[in-house]
Amino acid sequence: MSDGLRSRYHAARRRLRRFERREVREFRRWIEHTSNLIHLSVLLLVPLLIAAVTALANSVDVLPFVLFPPLASGTFTLFAEPEGRYASPTKFVGGLTAGALCGTLAIWVGLHTSMRDPLGASGLLVSPVEAALAIFLTGGVTWALDFEEPSAFSTALLALIAPAFSDPVGFDEFFLQFVVSVFVASTIVAGAFHVWREQFYERRSRFLYQSTKGDDHVLVPMRGERSHEAAMFGARLAAAHDAGKVVLLDVVDREAIEEAARTMQVPTGDADTELVDPVAAEAEGAETEEVQVAEESAQRLETEANRIETKVGVPCQVVVVGDGEDPARTVLKTARETNCDLVVTPYEEERGSLSGFVRGLFRSDIDAIAFRSAGGSRERWKRVMVPIRRPGDTAHAMIDFAQRLTGLAGSISVCTCIDRENERRSAEATLANLVETFEGSFETRVSRASIESFLAANDEYYDLVIVGASTDRSAASRFVSPPTFERIHDLDCDVAVVHRG
């Protein structure tokens, strides 16, 4: 193979790998939506379960095929609403079995009274009185046992026509065969549903949600007057994980070096006036003023690192680098070199909008948080509000960050705002699906007010508001509806703007 063909082959493989990684990443984000996960589970698991029951029916010749329609509808109800009213294995098995018992009891009553033959009940013709009696008995029994579910009534009516599809047997044998068939089939489905819900659905945050993994190595660029608050915020996030660490970064820019060159004293051999070590500077091949600025920066960072380690108890590392052409790119490069998966930077604005530095971080594939302090040098955040626009990986990350900060003793309020009252139930279900993947207690709130007025009315009750950066939205969408953090400027609490890389 020639060098040209080889290079094109390797280039094609790299493009294919990038495409595969991008598709896998998009699929993981898609399946993080609880509704998508449920629909996919229904699509894959319900046919497999019905196929398994069918195979069993064909092999043992016990389960009548007419049982499958109510069984399939009941199975769909279980998996489609795993937290719903009918999502109980006990109620599922009990309801279908109760329906089978009541249906066969209605047949027995018909056989021992004069209401079957006079009405012409034979073959697929069913006595109206038996049908009414089957439904009446099923309603009463399921109500008394709290087994009410639609499939129970279907099974009760099914019993009235099941004999037409069975071999001629006595009533006692049919009764035993039909009821046992319903019980066995529903138990198989209920067992599969229980395993799926307990071992996968309830633990989906561990298996599927990348937002609850990682983000324990935090890089904090020490920029601006509020960098100390941002460093403490990042330290609290990192300390929630056993493997957490904080890297404090200072970028030495050209202006600081030039200022040091103008103001530093020339070494004279006097230890009291010598500001740098000429031997170390020569060994490193660095300019004297560069070493001077780097040493001063490192000393400041070491002081901050000691403060963080003492108060938070998380390991803290100090890094000083040159600025390069693009500060944001320099920070991201340092994050990769120091194995950091989260950047926490002080919030910056330029002419009333987000600074170019923060925008550069928000365009990267590394998670980033812009922390805006309300003042007061707060070091703990025990009351956190998380406004959610829509479910997804960003929402999960925001709730996870809130839980890291509050711990077991704090409180978290997850809220959303709606435009119309008929959206309330859907919004409440969305919030419930989000918070149930996390351990602990949460408050969920749905408001008809705009997000700006809602936050302004409640900011005094919270230490922190965590909002999304909306970087997953298109430019047109952001133009029509600007991100929340751009519309709130006067809150009396801290604000954290989260970007998912």
Side-chain angles (χ1 to χ4, degrees):
M1 183 183 293
S2 65
D3 293 340
L5 289 176
R6 186 179 293 107
S7 62
R8 285 196 292 271
Y9 169 74
H10 289 298
R13 286 191 61 185
R14 287 193 297 270
R15 286 195 295 270
L16 180 60
R17 285 196 296 267
R18 286 197 299 269
F19 175 78
E20 291 177 348
R21 288 194 297 267
R22 183 171 62 252
E23 292 302 313
V24 170
R25 186 166 57 249
E26 290 300 323
F27 175 75
R28 294 190 73 100
R29 290 187 172 183
W30 177 83
I31 205 173
E32 281 198 27
H33 292 250
T34 300
S35 60
N36 294 336
L37 175 63
I38 290 176
H39 281 102
L40 186 62
S41 297
V42 170
L43 183 64
L44 298 178
L45 296 181
V46 173
L48 291 177
L49 281 173
I50 298 301
V53 175
T54 303
L56 179 62
N58 293 336
S59 62
V60 301
D61 196 24
V62 173
L63 303 176
F65 183 78
V66 289
L67 166 64
F68 296 154
L71 184 67
S73 64
T75 304
F76 176 84
T77 302
L78 275 180
F79 284 90
E81 298 182 7
E83 302 292 340
R85 175 184 178 184
Y86 304 113
S88 167
T90 302
K91 289 185 177 182
F92 178 75
V93 176
L96 265 67
T97 305
L101 286 169
C102 294
T104 52
L105 181 59
I107 295 177
W108 182 87
V109 173
L111 290 174
H112 291 79
T113 60
S114 59
M115 67 181 181
R116 167 168 281 256
D117 293 336
L119 291 172
S122 62
L124 289 177
L125 296 178
V126 177
S127 167
V129 177
E130 289 183 10
L133 180 61
I135 295 299
F136 174 77
L137 293 175
T138 302
V141 170
T142 55
W143 181 19
L145 299 177
D146 195 23
F147 285 163
E148 289 182 290
E149 59 174 324
S151 297
F153 297 90
S154 299
T155 308
L157 291 179
L158 182 63
L160 304 181
I161 62 171
F165 296 90
S166 305
D167 295 332
V169 293
F171 175 80
D172 294 341
E173 190 173 344
F174 165 75
F175 170 81
L176 182 63
Q177 176 182 338
F178 184 72
V179 174
V180 170
S181 299
V182 171
F183 177 78
V184 171
S186 59
T187 300
I188 293 174
V189 172
F193 169 75
H194 178 75
V195 172
W196 171 81
R197 186 174 66 177
E198 297 298 323
Q199 301 300 322
F200 178 75
Y201 180 77
E202 296 290 351
R203 303 182 181 182
R204 61 192 183 275
S205 61
R206 303 181 186 179
F207 303 132
L208 299 177
Y209 298 169
Q210 293 296 302
S211 59
T212 61
K213 304 173 184 177
D215 286 339
D216 48 9
H217 293 181
V218 182
L219 178 73
V220 182
M222 301 297 287
R223 295 167 56 95
E225 299 177 355
R226 296 296 183 183
S227 58
H228 300 291
E229 289 88 339
M232 183 59 68
F233 179 82
R236 295 293 180 188
L237 291 177
H241 288 179
D242 294 336
K245 76 169 184 179
V246 178
V247 178
L248 302 182
L249 171 66
D250 194 10
V251 179
V252 178
D253 56 21
R254 185 57 52 185
E255 294 181 359
I257 295 176
E258 293 176 353
E259 179 66 20
R262 290 193 300 268
T263 59
M264 69 181 297
Q265 301 179 16
V266 179
T268 61
D270 187 347
D272 294 335
T273 58
E274 190 173 8
L275 301 182
V276 298
D277 184 351
V279 178
E282 183 179 357
E284 295 293 335
E287 295 293 336
T288 302
E289 56 270 18
E290 292 178 356
V291 177
Q292 169 74 18
V293 175
E295 285 187 349
E296 292 179 350
S297 176
Q299 290 175 1
R300 290 194 302 270
L301 294 187
E302 287 289 354
T303 301
E304 181 66 20
N306 291 334
R307 184 178 75 93
I308 290 175
E309 290 182 349
T310 301
K311 292 190 174 183
V312 183
V314 64
C316 203
Q317 179 183 349
V318 168
V319 176
V320 180
V321 298
D323 58 347
E325 298 180 357
D326 186 346
R329 185 177 301 175
T330 300
V331 170
L332 295 172
K333 179 182 177 182
T334 306
R336 296 185 180 95
E337 292 175 349
T338 56
N339 194 30
C340 290
D341 47 12
L342 174 64
V343 176
V344 175
T345 184
Y347 186 88
E348 297 180 7
E349 287 186 339
E350 292 177 355
R351 294 185 293 274
S353 61
L354 205 61
S355 70
F357 171 75
V358 179
R359 285 200 302 270
L361 297 181
F362 282 178
R363 285 193 293 264
S364 73
D365 58 354
I366 296 179
D367 294 351
I369 297 178
F371 180 74
R372 187 171 72 195
S373 173
S377 300
R378 182 180 283 111
E379 297 182 348
R380 287 186 176 274
W381 296 265
K382 290 298 183 181
R383 298 171 300 167
V384 180
M385 173 182 284
V386 184
I388 300 297
R389 181 182 179 89
R390 58 185 178 183
D393 60 331
T394 301
H396 294 130
M398 292 159 59
I399 297 175
D400 177 58
F401 290 148
Q403 197 167 43
R404 293 195 205 182
L405 294 169
T406 59
L408 299 176
S411 62
I412 302 174
S413 177
V414 183
C415 65
T416 190
C417 294
I418 57 176
D419 297 324
R420 295 177 297 275
E421 191 62 30
N422 59 6
E423 300 174 353
R424 182 173 297 277
R425 289 189 177 182
S426 175
E428 290 174 347
T430 297
L431 296 183
N433 287 334
L434 282 172
V435 301
E436 72 184 13
T437 61
F438 297 88
E439 296 180 358
S441 59
F442 297 85
E443 176 193 27
T444 57
R445 303 177 63 179
V446 178
S447 174
R448 283 284 305 274
S450 65
I451 185 63
E452 303 97 315
S453 58
F454 178 75
L455 294 178
N458 294 275
D459 59 345
E460 62 180 310
Y461 304 108
Y462 297 93
D463 303 327
L464 174 71
V465 171
I466 301 179
V467 298
S470 298
T471 48
D472 56 343
R473 294 165 53 195
S474 64
S477 174
R478 290 165 60 88
F479 176 79
V480 174
S481 177
T484 301
F485 71 88
E486 293 185 355
R487 292 178 279 160
I488 51 174
H489 296 280
D490 300 323
L491 298 185
D492 293 333
C493 62
D494 298 340
V495 177
V497 185
V498 177
H499 157 73
R500 286 284 289 162

